[in-house]
Amino acid sequence: MIFLVLAILLIFVSLKSLYSIIWVPWRIQQFFRKQGVNGPSYRPFYGNIAEIMQMTKEAQSKSIPFTHDIVHRTFLCWFGLKPRLALADPEMIKDVLPNSIDMIDRLDYNPLARLLFGQGLPGLTGHKWTAHRRIATPAFNIEEVKAWVPEMVASVSKMLKIWEDKRGEKDEVEIEVYKEFHNLSAEILSKTVFGSSFEEGKRIFELQEQQVTLTMKALQSVYIPGFRFLPTKMNKLRWRLEKETRDAIRVIIERNSKTTDSSNNLISLLMSGSSNTKELGPGLEIEEVIDECKTFYFAGKETTANAVTWAVLLLAQHQEWQSKARGEVFQVCKGNELPTEDKMHEFKIISMILKETLRLYNPVNRLLRRSLKDVKIGSLNVPAGTEFYVALADVHHETEIWGPDANEFNPSRFAEPPRHLGSYFPFGLGSKNCIGRNLALVEAKIILAMIIKQFSFVVSPSYVHAPTMRLALQPQYGAHILVRRISDY
Ligand code: HEM
């Protein structure tokens, strides 16, 4: 009798596995193919992960000419058992990103990636996200950000002084700006958003850097439920980094609560709730605040530092735009004047340069979502449970949208705002767009303006062009430029 029950159980489990591992994906694949959406065929259990990893490895193993073109198309692929629809059509993107969070929301993170981002905004869904977002938003409004300008200017001046010392008596000196801008951005973020010193923040950035490497490994494979609890060597390292990061942030939070002059920084807002949104009640629990801080430490530094790195490389390559920008800076900041908050809107050419940089080399080159219900995207019927891979980089390089010079650096295309909502979205679209946008743009303008005013620069012969995606789009081998002091500064 027992064997009969076991046999029935075995048949039941086998049939259920066949249903979800073979039948459901096959049916979904057919459903999309009938609507004209093709792509690599589904492979049981792992989907197309092996191909994706192989292609990533190949792409990372070689450098490419310093041009800005990439390949694009719309297709269906498989991330494990999950269908993933890659979208590069602005009409469809416009239907996905700003959609209601009851219909389309972010993906659940791989639990191992949560150790890096925490349960902060990008990892939250539904109404919990709404509550956190409302509390954090006032910390990044433009008036708040403008009040940070003097601190940003002081940090950039300090960095340029070090460049100048490094140059010494020489006409020009090579600077690897990728590392420089990461340190700079870390310092600015610590001082402004967290109201702490760079030294305090530095340990957190170092711990997160190590966690990034482990997160990348986790994100490239299918997560097996329960795996994160196994005491493997890598998991133990993840746990240690996580504990140290949380402890270091806790120290900053505790010190912040004892400081009287901290009412406007992010930590205070998160702890107390926003004064403008009394209906939200009290702030977040301390563990939730730590999670949000982890997110902001990571998202704030990686993105802005990489954006400025690409902008400087592009200006080093395009001397005509460097000269135009310099002309503007000398006009806005006369003599020895430094950038001030009221001058930000006068940097029109620098704004265009930043927009064009974010078009060609946006640090975030794709956005992920999933349908919670059956939805219509453009003319396509999409079943619940489908993931969307919104190919931001592809849309930003599309010749049908940007014209035949789509792969050229041409900031003048931003003299007018882009025509279509879904064609340009470096900071995302809809309610889940980037909360740190104001900070990123003001910071980037100040850094560029101050460098351009003091130095001229060209791409160093030691620079190797190999953009790579390591959570943010970055130059794989660093960004080397040769800087020369401007004689009449
Ligand atoms: C050039 C710099 C930056 C770029 C290109 C950028 C890009 C983006 C994009 C595309 C999104 C939307 C993600 C999605 O829709 O899933 C996003 C979200 C986010 N960004 Fe940024 N970002 C930048 C700077 C910053 C800074 C400086 C901070 C914080 C200090 C920040 C914090 C965040 C957070 C917390 C979210 C999640 C927002 C939410 O879910 O409510 N970002 N960013």
Side-chain angles (χ1 to χ4, degrees), residues 186-249:
E187 172 168 330
I188 290 176
L189 202 62
S190 301
K191 280 167 42 181
T192 56
V193 177
F194 293 99
S196 73
S197 70
F198 176 49
E199 287 313 313
E200 270 184 317
K202 201 170 161 197
R203 180 71 191 132
I204 297 168
F205 291 117
E206 282 166 3
L207 292 165
Q208 285 198 327
E209 188 51 41
Q210 295 176 55
Q211 195 71 272
V212 169
T213 310
L214 300 174
T215 303
M216 287 302 294
K217 287 204 164 77
L219 288 178
Q220 284 164 355
S221 53
V222 174
Y223 178 73
I224 299 164
F227 177 77
R228 72 189 143 134
F229 301 111
L230 295 181
T232 62
K233 200 172 155 200
M234 226 182 265
N235 275 351
K236 280 196 210 158
L237 181 55
R238 287 186 171 111
W239 299 337
R240 182 176 65 72
L241 293 172
E242 161 72 350
K243 181 174 178 321
E244 282 185 38
T245 310
R246 296 190 88 82
D247 289 347
I249 294 177

Side-chain angles (χ1 to χ4, degrees), residues 97 106 120-124 129 133 140 185 189 193-194 266 292 295-297 299-308 358 362-364 366-369 392 425-429 431-441 443-444:
L97 292 180
R106 291 223 177 90
L121 280 172
L124 295 180
W129 169 81
R133 173 85 189 206
F140 297 95
S185 203
L189 202 62
V193 177
F194 293 99
L266 178 73
E292 285 301 349
T295 293
F296 282 103
Y297 269 111
K301 183 188 78 137
E302 280 304 304
T303 47
T304 314
N306 281 306
V308 179
L358 293 177
N362 202 52
V364 181
R366 53 115 177 92
L367 304 174
L368 297 173
R369 294 287 189 273
L392 183 151
F425 46 101
F427 293 99
L429 271 185
S431 58
K432 297 215 160 178
N433 67 1
C434 178
I435 196 172
R437 182 179 186 277
N438 291 334
L439 171 62
L441 290 177
E443 181 180 332

Side-chain angles (χ1 to χ4, degrees), residues 50-214:
E51 287 117 297
I52 294 169
M53 282 183 70
Q54 180 59 26
M55 283 159 77
T56 310
K57 210 165 147 194
E58 274 171 26
Q60 283 178 342
S61 67
K62 52 190 178 208
S63 67
I64 53 175
F66 196 175
T67 57
H68 321 303
D69 45 331
I70 56 170
V71 190
H72 48 77
R73 76 196 151 106
T74 304
F75 57 91
L76 180 77
C77 65
W78 291 85
F79 205 76
L81 299 176
K82 306 264 177 59
R84 191 170 271 192
L85 194 61
L87 296 179
D89 174 350
E91 278 301 323
M92 288 175 149
I93 289 169
K94 186 167 71 57
D95 285 350
V96 170
L97 292 180
N99 212 310
S100 137
I101 57 170
D102 297 327
M103 302 293 285
I104 294 179
D105 209 341
R106 291 223 177 90
L107 300 191
D108 284 333
Y109 273 130
N110 177 323
L112 291 169
R114 287 194 184 280
L115 296 176
L116 176 63
F117 302 119
Q119 304 264 28
L121 280 172
L124 295 180
T125 50
H127 299 294
K128 192 157 186 194
W129 169 81
T130 314
H132 282 227
R133 173 85 189 206
R134 269 200 231 155
I135 291 176
T137 295
F140 297 95
N141 74 39
I142 190 68
E143 292 314 314
E144 207 61 60
V145 169
K146 279 186 178 171
W148 293 331
V149 167
E151 272 160 331
M152 294 184 198
V153 170
S155 295
V156 182
S157 297
K158 198 172 98 189
M159 180 190 77
L160 295 184
K161 167 89 179 48
I162 295 170
W163 289 17
E164 192 53 57
D165 292 347
K166 201 169 169 199
R167 187 181 68 86
E169 298 299 307
K170 288 177 278 183
D171 283 344
E172 67 180 12
V173 64
E174 185 181 89
I175 307 277
E176 199 287 277
V177 289
Y178 169 79
K179 244 191 226 114
E180 294 286 308
F181 294 153
H182 273 68
N183 285 335
L184 176 63
S185 203
E187 172 168 330
I188 290 176
L189 202 62
S190 301
K191 280 167 42 181
T192 56
V193 177
F194 293 99
S196 73
S197 70
F198 176 49
E199 287 313 313
E200 270 184 317
K202 201 170 161 197
R203 180 71 191 132
I204 297 168
F205 291 117
E206 282 166 3
L207 292 165
Q208 285 198 327
E209 188 51 41
Q210 295 176 55
Q211 195 71 272
V212 169
T213 310
L214 300 174

Side-chain angles (χ1 to χ4, degrees), residues 24 40 149 234 250 261 275 325 363 417 477:
V24 173
V149 167
M234 226 182 265
R250 205 183 308 274
D261 183 27
S275 55
Y477 307 110

Side-chain angles (χ1 to χ4, degrees), residues 386-399:
T386 304
E387 297 183 350
F388 298 103
Y389 177 106
V390 178
L392 183 151
D394 300 48
V395 184
H396 281 191
H397 288 245
E398 174 60 70
T399 44

